[in-house]
Structures are given as C-alpha cells and as structure tokens.
Amino acid sequence: MSLLYEGKAKRIFTTEEENVLKVEYKDEVTAGNGAKKDHLPGKGRLNNLITSKIFEYLNDQGLKSHFIERISETEQIVEQVEIIPLEVVVRNIAAGSITKRLGFEKGHKFNEPLVEFFYKNDDLNDPLITDAHIKVLEIADDKDIEALQSAALEINNHLQQLMSKMDLRLVDFKIEFGRTKYGNLILADEISPDTCRIWAQDSDENFDKDVYREDRGSIIDVYQSFLNKLEDIK
Ligand code: UDP
C-alpha cells in the first residue's frame, strides 16, 4: 500500500485492489483553514467510527456513498473517486459563517433548507460561489449542479431523521462528492461532528467542532457522547 495523499485529518492509501482506497483517520484537529490545530489522541478513532456508522445508515436508506467497510478503529475502505472541488453546505438553522455574511441571528430557523456551494481552495480560503462561478470554473454543468443540490437535500432529510432519533438537531453540515470511474457522482469524504453542527434538542449545547473552534472544552468527550447516542439508536 502506498500513500496517495495526506490531508489535515486523513491519510489516503492505495490498496491491492484497483479503484479501492484505504482511509486512515489521524488524531489531528484543525479549524480556520489550519490557523488553529492540535494533536488529540483518540480523535481519529472517533471520526472513523462515527463516519462509518453514518455512511452505513445512509446506505441502509438506499443512499450510496464511496464507503465500503470499516476495517479497524481508525481505518476504512472506500471506492476511489475524483473529488469535486466543492464543499456543499446544507443549513437548517443559522450558525457560523451565514450569521456573519447575511446577518441572520444564530438559531434562526430557515423556512426551508438552504444549499450553498463553497469552492474547495485553501489558497482562496474556500469562498462561497454561485452556480455561474461553478460553470465558468468548469467544475460542473447545470445537470450536475442540480444533481448535487438534490442529493444534498435528500441526505439532509435522512440525517435530520437520524439526529432526531438521537434527540439532537442538525443545524448545518458540509459534504463532498466524487466522480467514480464510471462517471457517476457519489457522496464521499466524511460526515462527522467535524463537518456538521449538531445541537441538543432543547438547547444550543454543541455536539460538534464548535466546542474546539470556540475553546469550550474537550471534543474527545463531546464526540464520544455523540458516538454513544449513535450506537444507542434502536
Ligand atoms: N464545514 C466543514 N469544513 C469547512 C467549512 C465548513 O466541514 O472547511 C462545515 C462546518 O462544520 C459547518 C458547515 O460546514 O457544519 C457550515 O460551516 P460555515 O460555512 O458556517 O463555516 P464556519 O463557521 O465553520 O467557518
């Protein structure tokens, strides 16, 4: 197996099988495009266990992703895809960047879920982009943009149902998609408290990375309690 790519929180390896990769989750946490970073033993395990469970749940709901199987506490096997350089964000409740950009009060509930696209580009600080920008950047055409939007909303429905079974609220989340060798668009990357905002049902207690972003305690404890809730679902 050889290292194909190393990112902030994961390492990607080739495997003996063509088009199959191994993802290793690292014990690193970053925020603000790497401006804040820390080594947190146990974090890779939590993200791997949580992401694997969520991808399995989505798969059970008929929603395919790149996920194949979890092979250890910190590793999973995935289908090789070419990642589309877009962060697709879905918001149910205002928090984070949209409160600063558009002046929504934190906690404002949107009448319907909002889908936003950010251009995955560290040098440019991942700017918010429009459909027109996506087309001139030749990232995707109208048909693919439409497909990404509707897949994101469908994933939102499933994740909202999952969180409500856990007595939690899904505030917002970021997903990424990739193209398979057959040209299909599928859900990829990860879904975890690193990439979602999750609040308690009756308060704005966080079960997500805001605890780290805002120096409000141990994300290891918070992510472990999220995992416990996920494992307790009937
Ligand atoms: N998000 C992410 N990776 C990023 C940026 C955002 O996973 O590089 C997630 C973030 O955790 C939140 C959602 O996308 O659940 C919306 O983030 P927002 O645009 O509010 O930006 P932030 O406040 O995180 O800077």
Side-chain angles (χ1 to χ4, degrees):
M1 296 202 190
S2 62
L3 182 67
L4 192 64
Y5 171 81
E6 176 155 5
K8 296 184 199 104
K10 303 181 204 80
R11 283 191 200 94
I12 316 280
F13 298 87
T14 57
T15 66
E16 279 150 21
E17 223 179 310
E18 213 187 325
N19 301 311
V20 174
L21 301 177
K22 186 183 85 169
V23 182
E24 182 197 34
Y25 281 74
K26 305 198 294 186
D27 284 341
E28 307 300 322
V29 56
T30 66
N33 195 9
K36 180 171 156 78
K37 58 173 176 240
D38 282 285
H39 178 78
L40 290 181
K43 172 165 182 297
R45 168 185 170 271
L46 288 165
N47 279 49
N48 183 48
L49 296 181
I50 292 169
T51 293
S52 298
K53 273 240 163 250
I54 292 181
F55 280 144
E56 279 162 11
Y57 173 84
L58 290 175
N59 198 44
D60 290 346
Q61 309 297 312
L63 221 145
K64 213 183 129 22
S65 69
H66 75 153
F67 178 80
I68 300 173
E69 65 172 332
R70 181 169 74 74
I71 54 163
S72 77
E73 293 237 297
T74 54
E75 299 159 305
Q76 56 182 250
I77 298 291
V78 302
E79 182 176 349
Q80 182 162 25
V81 294
E82 194 184 322
I83 292 285
I84 309 230
L86 289 176
E87 299 196 331
V88 183
V89 168
V90 182
R91 301 180 188 274
N92 299 304
I93 297 171
S97 69
I98 200 164
T99 61
K100 294 174 210 134
R101 194 175 347 105
L102 298 181
F104 284 106
E105 221 167 285
K106 180 179 170 187
H108 170 87
K109 193 171 178 324
F110 297 117
N111 290 334
E112 51 187 77
L114 178 68
V115 180
E116 294 176 334
F117 293 108
F118 293 82
Y119 181 28
K120 245 171 89 78
N121 185 315
D122 282 346
D123 294 338
L124 300 176
N125 254 319
D126 300 344
L128 177 75
I129 58 175
T130 66
D131 293 12
H133 295 143
I134 295 174
K135 283 187 277 178
V136 291
L137 285 162
E138 297 185 8
I139 295 172
D141 59 15
D142 279 320
K143 188 174 121 289
D144 283 346
I145 295 171
E146 182 65 34
L148 293 173
Q149 225 145 8
S150 67
L153 290 172
E154 195 186 345
I155 292 162
N156 183 48
N157 284 338
H158 289 304
L159 293 180
Q160 278 191 307
Q161 281 173 30
L162 177 68
M163 303 284 168
S164 101
K165 287 185 203 168
M166 296 162 70
D167 244 346
L168 298 171
R169 287 183 290 165
L170 179 61
V171 174
D172 59 30
F173 63 95
K174 181 270 297 180
I175 43 181
E176 296 182 22
F177 291 85
R179 214 177 283 281
T180 68
K181 70 167 180 173
Y182 305 106
N184 302 323
L185 283 175
I186 57 168
L187 176 64
D189 194 50
E190 73 173 286
I191 300 180
S192 73
D194 268 6
T195 62
C196 301
R197 276 196 181 90
I198 302 149
W199 292 354
Q201 198 60 259
D202 304 319
S203 72
D204 61 2
E205 183 192 353
N206 288 93
F207 287 84
D208 57 51
K209 199 158 91 173
D210 275 353
V211 171
Y212 174 75
R213 291 188 186 98
E214 297 165 12
D215 285 320
R216 288 197 272 115
S218 156
I219 57 162
I220 296 296
D221 294 349
V222 166
Y223 287 21
Q224 183 63 57
S225 83
F226 180 82
L227 176 61
N228 295 345
K229 288 178 192 288
L230 192 57
E231 285 177 337
D232 282 349
I233 290 175
K234 301 287 169 305

